[in-house]
Coordinates of all heavy atoms in Angstrom, one line a residue:
A24 N 76.3 118.0 105.2 CA 76.3 119.0 104.1 C 76.1 118.4 102.7 O 75.4 118.9 101.9 CB 77.7 119.7 104.1
F25 N 76.7 117.2 102.5 CA 76.5 116.5 101.2 C 75.1 116.0 101.0 O 74.5 115.9 99.9 CB 77.5 115.4 101.0 CG 77.9 115.1 99.6 CD1 79.1 114.6 99.3 CD2 77.0 115.4 98.6 CE1 79.5 114.3 98.0 CE2 77.4 115.1 97.2 CZ 78.6 114.6 96.9
S26 N 74.5 115.6 102.1 CA 73.1 115.0 102.1 C 72.1 116.1 101.7 O 71.0 115.8 101.3 CB 72.7 114.4 103.4 OG 73.6 113.4 103.8
H27 N 72.5 117.3 101.7 CA 71.6 118.5 101.3 C 71.5 118.5 99.8 O 70.5 119.1 99.3 CB 72.3 119.8 101.8 CG 71.5 121.0 101.6 ND1 70.3 121.2 102.2 CD2 71.7 122.1 100.8 CE1 69.8 122.4 101.8 NE2 70.7 122.9 100.9
L28 N 72.4 117.9 99.1 CA 72.4 117.9 97.6 C 71.7 116.6 97.0 O 72.0 115.5 97.5 CB 73.8 118.0 97.0 CG 74.4 119.3 96.9 CD1 74.8 119.9 98.3 CD2 75.7 119.2 96.1
D29 N 70.8 116.9 96.1 CA 70.2 115.7 95.4 C 71.0 115.4 94.1 O 72.0 116.1 93.8 CB 68.7 115.9 95.1 CG 68.5 117.1 94.2 OD1 69.4 117.6 93.4 OD2 67.3 117.7 94.2
A30 N 70.6 114.4 93.3 CA 71.4 114.1 92.1 C 71.5 115.2 91.1 O 72.5 115.4 90.5 CB 70.7 112.8 91.5
N31 N 70.4 116.0 91.0 CA 70.4 117.1 90.0 C 71.4 118.2 90.5 O 72.1 118.8 89.6 CB 69.0 117.7 89.9 CG 68.9 118.7 88.8 OD1 69.1 118.3 87.6 ND2 68.5 119.9 89.1
D32 N 71.5 118.4 91.8 CA 72.5 119.4 92.3 C 73.9 119.0 91.9 O 74.7 119.8 91.5 CB 72.3 119.6 93.8 CG 71.0 120.2 94.2 OD1 70.5 121.0 93.4 OD2 70.5 119.8 95.3
V33 N 74.2 117.7 92.1 CA 75.5 117.1 91.8 C 75.8 117.3 90.3 O 76.9 117.8 90.0 CB 75.6 115.7 92.2 CG1 77.0 115.1 91.8 CG2 75.5 115.5 93.8
L34 N 74.9 117.0 89.5 CA 75.1 117.1 88.0 C 75.3 118.5 87.6 O 76.2 118.8 86.8 CB 73.9 116.5 87.3 CG 73.8 115.0 87.3 CD1 72.4 114.6 86.7 CD2 74.9 114.4 86.4
N35 N 74.5 119.4 88.2 CA 74.7 120.9 87.9 C 76.0 121.4 88.3 O 76.6 122.2 87.6 CB 73.6 121.7 88.5 CG 72.2 121.5 87.8 OD1 72.2 121.2 86.6 ND2 71.1 121.7 88.5
A36 N 76.5 121.0 89.5 CA 77.8 121.5 90.0 C 78.9 121.1 89.1 O 80.0 121.7 89.1 CB 78.0 120.9 91.4
M37 N 78.8 120.0 88.3 CA 79.8 119.4 87.5 C 79.6 119.7 86.0 O 80.3 119.1 85.2 CB 80.0 117.9 87.7 CG 80.2 117.5 89.2 SD 81.8 117.8 89.7 CE 82.8 116.7 88.7
S38 N 78.6 120.5 85.6 CA 78.2 120.5 84.2 C 78.8 121.6 83.4 O 78.8 121.5 82.1 CB 76.6 120.7 84.2 OG 76.3 122.0 84.7
R39 N 79.3 122.7 83.9 CA 79.7 123.8 83.1 C 80.9 123.5 82.2 O 81.8 122.8 82.6 CB 79.9 125.0 84.0 CG 81.1 125.0 84.9 CD 81.1 126.2 85.8 NE 82.2 126.4 86.6 CZ 82.5 125.7 87.8 NH1 81.6 124.8 88.2 NH2 83.6 126.0 88.5
Q40 N 80.9 124.2 81.1 CA 82.0 124.1 80.1 C 83.1 125.1 80.5 O 82.7 126.3 80.8 CB 81.6 124.3 78.7 CG 80.6 123.2 78.2 CD 80.2 123.4 76.7 OE1 80.4 124.5 76.2 NE2 79.7 122.4 76.1
Q41 N 84.3 124.7 80.6 CA 85.4 125.6 80.9 C 86.5 125.4 79.9 O 86.9 124.3 79.6 CB 85.9 125.3 82.3 CG 84.9 125.6 83.5 CD 85.5 125.4 84.8 OE1 86.0 124.3 85.2 NE2 85.6 126.5 85.6
D42 N 87.1 126.5 79.6 CA 88.3 126.6 78.7 C 89.5 126.9 79.6 O 89.5 128.0 80.2 CB 88.1 127.6 77.6 CG 89.4 127.8 76.7 OD1 90.3 127.0 76.9 OD2 89.4 128.7 75.9
P43 N 90.5 126.0 79.8 CA 91.6 126.3 80.7 C 92.6 127.3 80.1 O 93.5 127.7 80.9 CB 92.2 124.9 80.8 CG 91.9 124.2 79.6 CD 90.6 124.7 79.2
E44 N 92.5 127.7 78.9 CA 93.5 128.5 78.3 C 93.7 129.9 79.0 O 94.8 130.3 79.3 CB 93.3 128.8 76.8 CG 94.3 129.6 76.1 CD 95.8 129.2 76.4 OE1 96.0 127.9 76.4 OE2 96.6 130.0 76.5
P45 N 92.6 130.6 79.4 CA 92.8 131.8 80.2 C 93.5 131.6 81.5 O 94.3 132.5 81.9 CB 91.4 132.3 80.4 CG 90.6 131.7 79.3 CD 91.2 130.4 79.0
L46 N 93.3 130.4 82.1 CA 94.0 130.1 83.4 C 95.5 129.9 83.0 O 96.4 130.5 83.7 CB 93.5 128.8 84.0 CG 94.3 128.2 85.2 CD1 94.1 129.1 86.4 CD2 93.8 126.8 85.5
F47 N 95.8 129.2 82.0 CA 97.2 129.0 81.6 C 97.9 130.3 81.2 O 99.0 130.6 81.6 CB 97.3 128.0 80.4 CG 96.7 126.6 80.7 CD1 96.4 125.8 79.6 CD2 96.6 126.2 82.0 CE1 95.9 124.5 79.8 CE2 96.0 124.9 82.2 CZ 95.7 124.1 81.1
A48 N 97.1 131.2 80.5 CA 97.7 132.4 80.1 C 98.0 133.3 81.3 O 99.0 134.0 81.3 CB 96.7 133.1 79.2
A49 N 97.1 133.3 82.3 CA 97.4 134.1 83.5 C 98.6 133.5 84.2 O 99.4 134.3 84.7 CB 96.2 134.0 84.5
G50 N 98.8 132.2 84.2 CA 100.0 131.6 84.8 C 101.3 132.1 84.1 O 102.3 132.4 84.7
R51 N 101.2 132.0 82.7 CA 102.4 132.5 81.9 C 102.6 134.0 82.1 O 103.8 134.4 82.0 CB 102.1 132.2 80.5 CG 102.1 130.7 80.1 CD 102.1 130.4 78.6 NE 100.9 130.9 78.0 CZ 99.8 130.2 77.7 NH1 99.8 128.9 78.1 NH2 98.8 130.7 77.1
G52 N 101.6 134.7 82.5 CA 101.7 136.1 82.7 C 102.2 136.5 84.0 O 102.3 137.7 84.3
G53 N 102.4 135.5 84.9 CA 102.9 135.8 86.2 C 102.0 135.7 87.4 O 102.4 135.9 88.6
L54 N 100.7 135.3 87.2 CA 99.9 135.0 88.3 C 100.5 134.0 89.2 O 100.9 132.9 88.8 CB 98.5 134.5 87.8 CG 97.5 134.2 88.9 CD1 97.1 135.5 89.7 CD2 96.2 133.5 88.3
R55 N 100.5 134.3 90.5 CA 101.2 133.4 91.5 C 100.3 132.2 91.8 O 99.1 132.3 91.9 CB 101.6 134.2 92.7 CG 102.5 135.3 92.5 CD 102.7 136.1 93.7 NE 103.4 135.3 94.7 CZ 103.1 135.3 96.0 NH1 102.1 136.0 96.5 NH2 103.7 134.5 96.9
L56 N 101.0 131.0 92.0 CA 100.3 129.8 92.3 C 101.0 129.1 93.5 O 102.2 128.9 93.4 CB 100.2 128.9 91.1 CG 99.7 127.5 91.4 CD1 98.2 127.5 91.7 CD2 99.9 126.5 90.2
L57 N 100.2 128.7 94.5 CA 100.7 127.7 95.5 C 99.9 126.5 95.3 O 98.7 126.5 95.4 CB 100.5 128.3 96.9 CG 100.8 127.4 98.1 CD1 102.3 127.0 98.1 CD2 100.4 128.0 99.4
H58 N 100.6 125.4 95.0 CA 99.9 124.1 94.8 C 100.3 123.1 95.9 O 101.4 122.7 96.1 CB 100.4 123.5 93.4 CG 99.7 122.3 93.0 ND1 100.1 121.5 92.0 CD2 98.6 121.6 93.6 CE1 99.3 120.4 91.9 NE2 98.3 120.5 92.8
L59 N 99.3 122.8 96.7 CA 99.4 121.9 97.9 C 98.7 120.6 97.7 O 97.5 120.7 97.3 CB 98.9 122.6 99.2 CG 99.5 124.0 99.6 CD1 98.7 124.6 100.7 CD2 100.9 123.9 99.9
Y60 N 99.3 119.5 97.9 CA 98.6 118.2 97.9 C 99.4 117.2 98.7 O 100.6 117.4 99.0 CB 98.4 117.8 96.4 CG 99.6 117.4 95.6 CD1 100.1 116.1 95.6 CD2 100.2 118.3 94.8 CE1 101.1 115.7 94.8 CE2 101.3 117.9 94.0 CZ 101.7 116.6 94.0 OH 102.8 116.2 93.2
G61 N 98.7 116.1 99.0 CA 99.3 115.0 99.8 C 99.6 113.8 98.9 O 98.9 113.6 97.9
D62 N 100.5 113.0 99.2 CA 100.9 111.8 98.4 C 100.0 110.6 98.8 O 100.2 109.6 98.2 CB 102.4 111.5 98.6 CG 102.8 111.1 100.0 OD1 101.9 111.0 100.9 OD2 104.0 110.8 100.2
A63 N 99.0 110.8 99.7 CA 98.1 109.7 100.0 C 96.7 110.1 99.8 O 95.8 109.6 100.4 CB 98.4 109.3 101.5
D64 N 96.4 110.9 98.8 CA 95.1 111.4 98.4 C 94.4 110.2 97.8 O 94.8 109.6 96.8 CB 95.2 112.5 97.4 CG 93.8 113.2 97.2 OD1 92.8 112.5 97.2 OD2 93.8 114.4 96.9
Q65 N 93.2 109.8 98.4 CA 92.4 108.6 97.8 C 91.6 109.0 96.6 O 91.3 108.1 95.8 CB 91.5 108.1 98.9 CG 92.2 107.6 100.2 CD 91.1 107.0 101.2 OE1 90.3 106.2 100.8 NE2 91.2 107.5 102.4
Q66 N 91.3 110.3 96.4 CA 90.5 110.7 95.3 C 91.2 111.1 94.0 O 90.8 110.8 92.9 CB 89.5 111.8 95.7 CG 88.5 111.4 96.8 CD 87.4 112.4 96.9 OE1 87.4 113.5 96.3 NE2 86.5 112.2 97.8
L67 N 92.3 111.9 94.2 CA 92.9 112.5 93.0 C 94.4 112.1 92.9 O 95.1 112.0 93.9 CB 92.8 114.0 93.1 CG 91.4 114.6 93.2 CD1 91.5 116.1 93.2 CD2 90.5 114.2 92.0
D68 N 94.8 111.9 91.7 CA 96.2 111.8 91.4 C 96.8 113.2 91.1 O 96.8 113.6 89.9 CB 96.4 110.9 90.2 CG 97.9 110.7 89.8 OD1 98.8 111.2 90.5 OD2 98.2 109.9 88.8
N69 N 97.2 113.9 92.1 CA 97.5 115.3 92.0 C 98.7 115.6 91.1 O 98.9 116.8 90.7 CB 97.7 115.9 93.4 CG 96.4 115.9 94.2 OD1 95.5 116.8 94.0 ND2 96.2 115.0 95.1
V70 N 99.5 114.6 90.8 CA 100.7 114.8 90.0 C 100.2 115.2 88.6 O 100.9 116.0 87.9 CB 101.5 113.5 89.9 CG1 102.6 113.6 88.8 CG2 102.1 113.2 91.2
V71 N 99.0 114.8 88.2 CA 98.4 115.2 86.9 C 98.2 116.7 86.8 O 98.5 117.3 85.8 CB 97.0 114.5 86.7 CG1 96.3 115.0 85.4 CG2 97.2 113.0 86.6

């Protein structure tokens, strides 16, 4: 599946500008969240 993407595809997938404030506002407004992660994730420090 990953081999289907070239370098331009990878760049495009990561390129958009996002403002997290509407997400935070939805959370403050009561939008429910389930946050699942493992303590042995090699890629991400999910505590962040």
Side-chain angles (χ1 to χ4, degrees):
F25 207 154
S26 300
H27 183 68
L28 275 70
D29 61 24
N31 191 59
D32 294 327
V33 174
L34 286 170
N35 284 335
M37 303 286 292
S38 67
R39 69 191 186 277
Q40 295 183 342
Q41 292 186 298
D42 177 6
E44 181 51 37
L46 173 71
F47 299 162
R51 292 191 295 267
L54 179 66
R55 299 175 64 223
L56 173 68
L57 174 62
H58 184 192
L59 304 172
Y60 67 89
D62 65 1
D64 190 327
Q65 296 181 54
Q66 292 194 1
L67 301 182
D68 181 1
N69 294 281
V70 174
V71 172

